[in-house]
Amino acid sequence: MRKVLVCGAAFAATCLAALAVPMGAEATVPDPSPTESAPTVVPSEETGTGAPSGSPETGGTTPSPSAPSADGAGTTDGIVSGSAVMVTPRLPKFKTYAYGKASRQRIDAYWRQSAPGAAPRPAVLVIHGGYWLGGDKSSWKYLARRLTAEGYVVLAANYRLAPKAVWPAQRNDAMSALDFMKKHAKVWNLDPNRVAVIGSSSGGMLATQLGTYGTGGQRVRGVIALSPPNNPFLAYQNGGEPGAVPAKRMLRKAVVDLVRCVPGATAKASCWKRLDDANSTNHVSAGDAPMLLMHASGDFVPVTQSTGLASALRAAGVPATVKVVQGEMHASGLLEDEHTYPQIVNWLNAHVK
């Protein structure tokens, strides 16, 4: 059975902002691959002067630093609302590494120095959004700093982009980045058996792929996805509807670029095979990773993109929670709500720490 993916208007705003993120060190770095003995460090710049002017990818306001409550304060399935303020976390250590030979196969590490003999820390892999066509790992450096203050090691990865790289290159890169951080876990004193993945927008879809492809639960301890377009074919259909907002139309085109074919009656079997493979619901099995899936009420990637996946996971005996935040936000824009960050930390603590 072919599954369907939906993308909402908030997703477009986030992805457009992600496409505009400066590449920084990516434009000039060489292409060394990791060695067996130690990870290859790539020269990069990290000023670390205060908090950014907006939240990752969307340019919105960053969440407040209030400590998460034990139960997530009003975050049961349904609608939550609130506002957020900016905080400036203490700067962690930072380096950029190459996890492959391609220029996009780069990963940023954020960690805090451990005392001698300290136990390894839980870790989070962050995957950026951008319609699978753009975006950059640096857009999540602020959240990475906050999570390191919570006791996590954070690595944020880039991946090869469509249309130059056809699916499943993006998933392959996400898996390679995850393997890289586990292989070199001692460098950052992280526990390779306690790793979760957070993704936004198209990066959220890659995160749910990591949690479902094969036996996802053996790969990661949990998945948090913000506005994930989990079913590209459904997104393609929605983008062609009369009156579809520009974000949905752009997502429709991005799906074509991702699988490098146009879905339809005349499409080749190889086209449908790639589309089916890109649908995370098609990979669900009993051994998958627990998930927290979040959308905004006015998200142009509607919550139905995640309710179908969550239903399949639950049917397989895998815990899955869907949250809806009140507003027009998309992806990292959900962090504008005061409840979102506490929910994320509470969920991570429950599944990874």
Side-chain angles (χ1 to χ4, degrees), residues 14-24 26 57 104 127-140 157-162 200 202-203 250:
T14 296
C15 296
L16 288 172
L19 289 171
V21 174
M23 291 303 293
E26 290 296 329
E57 298 181 345
R104 286 288 302 184
I127 308 177
H128 69 79
Y131 289 97
W132 306 286
L133 303 175
D136 188 76
K137 54 188 169 44
S138 63
S139 63
W140 285 92
N158 275 350
Y159 48 88
R160 287 171 293 167
L161 302 172
S200 70
S202 55
M250 183 171 178

Side-chain angles (χ1 to χ4, degrees), residues 14 28 48 58 85 99-102 113 118 121-122 127 129 144 181 196 218 233 235 242 250 272 276 307 318 325:
T14 296
T28 57
T58 60
V85 297
Y99 68 84
K101 293 183 178 181
Q113 192 67 47
R121 292 172 172 167
I127 308 177
M181 67 186 288
Q218 294 181 359
F233 180 58
M250 183 171 178
W272 292 112
D276 285 343
T307 52
V318 180
V325 177

Side-chain angles (χ1 to χ4, degrees), residues 8-76:
F11 175 55
T14 296
C15 296
L16 288 172
L19 289 171
V21 174
M23 291 303 293
E26 290 296 329
T28 57
V29 295
D31 290 328
S33 59
T35 63
E36 289 296 320
S37 57
T40 300
V41 179
V42 178
S44 63
E45 295 182 0
E46 172 70 4
T47 58
T49 54
S53 58
S55 64
E57 298 181 345
T58 60
T61 307
T62 48
S64 68
S66 55
S69 64
D71 61 357
T75 59
T76 55

Side-chain angles (χ1 to χ4, degrees), residues 186 227 230:
K186 291 183 179 179
S227 305
N230 295 307

Side-chain angles (χ1 to χ4, degrees), residues 18-296:
L19 289 171
V21 174
M23 291 303 293
E26 290 296 329
T28 57
V29 295
D31 290 328
S33 59
T35 63
E36 289 296 320
S37 57
T40 300
V41 179
V42 178
S44 63
E45 295 182 0
E46 172 70 4
T47 58
T49 54
S53 58
S55 64
E57 298 181 345
T58 60
T61 307
T62 48
S64 68
S66 55
S69 64
D71 61 357
T75 59
T76 55
D77 283 11
I79 304 294
V80 295
S81 63
S83 59
V85 297
M86 187 184 304
V87 296
T88 304
R90 182 170 60 89
L91 297 181
K93 296 175 69 69
F94 170 89
K95 282 186 180 179
T96 298
Y97 302 86
Y99 68 84
K101 293 183 178 181
S103 61
R104 286 288 302 184
Q105 293 172 325
R106 298 292 183 267
I107 192 166
D108 292 342
Y110 302 82
W111 75 104
R112 298 190 185 277
Q113 192 67 47
S114 298
R121 292 172 172 167
V124 176
L125 172 65
V126 180
I127 308 177
H128 69 79
Y131 289 97
W132 306 286
L133 303 175
D136 188 76
K137 54 188 169 44
S138 63
S139 63
W140 285 92
K141 63 184 178 181
Y142 182 64
L143 179 69
R145 292 171 183 173
R146 295 200 71 185
L147 289 177
T148 60
E150 304 284 354
Y152 291 89
V153 176
V154 180
L155 282 88
N158 275 350
Y159 48 88
R160 287 171 293 167
L161 302 172
K164 183 177 180 181
V166 66
W167 179 265
Q170 296 73 24
R171 181 181 65 206
N172 292 342
D173 281 2
M175 294 176 65
S176 294
L178 181 64
D179 290 343
F180 174 86
M181 67 186 288
K182 290 184 176 183
K183 176 181 179 181
H184 300 290
K186 291 183 179 179
V187 173
W188 314 287
N189 194 36
L190 70 82
D191 185 345
N193 296 315
R194 292 190 295 157
V195 178
V197 57
I198 297 176
S200 70
S201 215
S202 55
M205 172 267 206
L206 295 178
T208 61
Q209 286 274 325
L210 287 182
T212 56
Y213 188 73
T215 306
Q218 294 181 359
R219 187 176 297 115
V220 293
R221 292 277 288 270
V223 171
I224 298 176
L226 309 179
S227 305
N230 295 307
N231 188 327
F233 180 58
L234 180 57
Y236 175 82
Q237 290 180 310
N238 291 342
E241 294 173 350
V245 297
K248 287 188 176 182
R249 295 199 299 270
M250 183 171 178
L251 185 60
R252 175 183 171 92
K253 180 181 182 302
V255 170
V256 173
D257 288 337
L258 179 69
V259 297
R260 206 176 291 170
C261 62
V262 179
T266 60
K268 296 181 179 180
S270 58
C271 179
W272 292 112
K273 183 177 180 180
R274 286 193 293 273
L275 280 166
D276 285 343
D277 185 43
N279 182 350
S280 299
T281 306
N282 289 338
H283 297 294
V284 168
S285 65
D288 290 341
M291 296 193 187
L292 171 61
L293 308 168
M294 304 183 72
H295 294 258

